[in-house]
Amino acid sequence: MSAGKGAGLAEKLRTMPPIKAVFFDIDDTLFSTSDFARRARENSIDAMIRCGLRVDRDILLRELEEIISEFSSNYEGHFNKLLLRVPRSSYEALNPAILIAAGVVAYHETKFRELAPYNDAIEVLKILARTSLIRGVITAGLEVKQAEKLIRLKVYDYLTSNAIFISDQIGISKPNVKLYQRACADLGLRPQEAMYIGDNPLHDIDPPNAIGMITVRNRRSGKYLDHEGKTPARHEIQNFWDLLRILEDVYGVRPDPAAARASKRSRPTPRRALPNN
């Protein structure tokens, strides 16, 4: 960044209203949804094979991915559809309900064992909980499913209780800008006073950019890692310590010093400098 451009950005930030809220996406932002889903689906297929399903593992995984793409990840009959797409002879003399139950149970057991947030997400949320910032979530998905993730990830205790917005619950989904407008309006915020952190450029960056929110692209993991949207995020991060540095250095957010000292030892060395524009 040139000195002139840097000075212009600094002047622009000085004239902006103070930041009052930070909103997070859930999937591939607070935790690696893509990695978890892959492990859970693999475990489900392995369980079905152990119960007697006689189809090559790779074929089953490809079919399952295709079913999820066609019917969405929120569809509840993935394994039912899977059995419809393989030869009936591959589970001859077996009760199909047992195979379906094996897949479902293995998926949920993986969720119980392995659904966990990024460690640094928890650490930084703990610090932000000691600031005056509203800490919220704006997420697309089924009401109970997304709420369950917040409880299982153990992040709810660090969030502001009335700042959780789930698309299925309020009837507006991404990438509709009304979802972001609704979150700001319900909390009495101007969009310029709110930051949003997400991984999908088309759903998490372009819409909040359109209404003037401060956008942060999480380039850490997930299927959108190399995708680009129509507009750039104002900031990019690779971990939550990057986010904390941006909040401190650019927006003057100052967490309780005791909280910062307690977590300082676990901060990683930055891998590279990230742009602030």
Side-chain angles (χ1 to χ4, degrees), residues 13-76:
L13 291 172
R14 278 195 295 272
T15 62
M16 290 175 60
I19 185 170
K20 295 181 179 179
V22 177
F23 292 100
F24 298 90
D25 185 26
I26 296 177
D27 297 292
D28 279 321
T29 298
L30 293 176
F31 79 112
S32 180
T33 312
S34 301
D35 288 346
F36 163 76
R38 175 184 51 77
R39 293 193 303 270
R41 292 164 190 169
E42 289 175 350
N43 290 343
S44 294
I45 292 301
D46 290 342
M48 296 176 78
I49 291 172
R50 285 195 300 272
C51 282
L53 182 58
R54 299 184 301 278
V55 181
D56 180 79
R57 183 178 190 264
D58 289 340
I59 291 175
L60 290 172
L61 286 170
R62 285 197 297 271
E63 286 293 336
L64 183 57
E65 289 296 329
E66 193 172 282
I67 290 165
I68 292 166
S69 176
E70 292 174 11
F71 291 89
S72 90
S73 61
N74 290 323
Y75 179 66
E76 295 184 350

Side-chain angles (χ1 to χ4, degrees), residues 16-265:
M16 290 175 60
I19 185 170
K20 295 181 179 179
V22 177
F23 292 100
F24 298 90
D25 185 26
I26 296 177
D27 297 292
D28 279 321
T29 298
L30 293 176
F31 79 112
S32 180
T33 312
S34 301
D35 288 346
F36 163 76
R38 175 184 51 77
R39 293 193 303 270
R41 292 164 190 169
E42 289 175 350
N43 290 343
S44 294
I45 292 301
D46 290 342
M48 296 176 78
I49 291 172
R50 285 195 300 272
C51 282
L53 182 58
R54 299 184 301 278
V55 181
D56 180 79
R57 183 178 190 264
D58 289 340
I59 291 175
L60 290 172
L61 286 170
R62 285 197 297 271
E63 286 293 336
L64 183 57
E65 289 296 329
E66 193 172 282
I67 290 165
I68 292 166
S69 176
E70 292 174 11
F71 291 89
S72 90
S73 61
N74 290 323
Y75 179 66
E76 295 184 350
H78 294 139
F79 302 119
N80 306 63
K81 287 289 188 287
L82 181 62
L83 290 187
L84 293 175
R85 293 167 77 141
V86 300
R88 180 65 180 86
S89 59
S90 65
Y91 55 98
E92 191 176 13
L94 297 173
N95 187 323
I98 295 297
L99 296 175
I100 293 167
V104 170
V105 169
Y107 188 96
H108 285 292
E109 286 181 344
T110 305
K111 180 166 63 176
F112 298 150
R113 290 193 312 267
E114 301 185 32
L115 188 64
Y118 294 120
N119 288 336
D120 55 312
I122 288 288
E123 292 300 314
V124 170
L125 281 171
K126 286 180 181 179
I127 293 173
L128 295 182
R130 300 189 185 184
T131 71
S132 61
L133 288 176
I134 295 169
R135 302 161 310 282
V137 163
I138 303 174
T139 182
L142 298 180
E143 178 179 354
V144 174
K145 187 174 181 180
Q146 295 305 92
E148 180 189 4
K149 290 174 185 176
L150 296 178
I151 298 300
R152 288 196 182 280
L153 294 171
K154 296 181 171 61
V155 300
Y156 177 72
D157 287 348
Y158 309 111
L159 299 174
T160 305
S161 60
N162 66 338
I164 297 171
F165 299 88
I166 303 171
S167 63
D168 185 52
Q169 191 175 46
I170 61 177
I172 308 169
S173 192
K174 297 177 180 180
N176 193 333
V177 297
K178 292 179 181 178
L179 178 63
Y180 299 92
Q181 290 171 328
R182 170 74 172 270
C184 291
D186 280 7
L187 295 170
L189 298 166
R190 289 182 288 173
Q192 296 87 344
E193 298 171 327
M195 174 181 282
Y196 187 69
I197 300 99
D199 67 297
N200 184 338
L202 294 175
H203 285 192
D204 300 330
I205 303 303
D206 289 341
N209 269 346
I211 64 170
M213 293 178 75
I214 301 164
T215 51
V216 179
R217 173 90 181 267
N218 180 25
R219 282 191 184 267
R220 182 171 192 159
S221 66
K223 58 185 177 181
Y224 302 108
L225 190 62
D226 298 318
H227 291 208
E228 298 299 337
K230 297 178 181 178
T231 57
R234 188 172 299 176
H235 307 283
E236 289 189 0
I237 62 172
Q238 290 180 321
N239 56 65
F240 278 80
W241 297 118
D242 291 339
L243 174 64
L244 188 61
R245 281 189 287 270
I246 290 168
L247 287 169
E248 291 176 343
D249 297 344
V250 179
Y251 299 97
V253 174
R254 292 290 179 262
D256 184 298
R261 284 196 300 271
S263 297
K264 186 176 182 180
R265 289 190 299 275

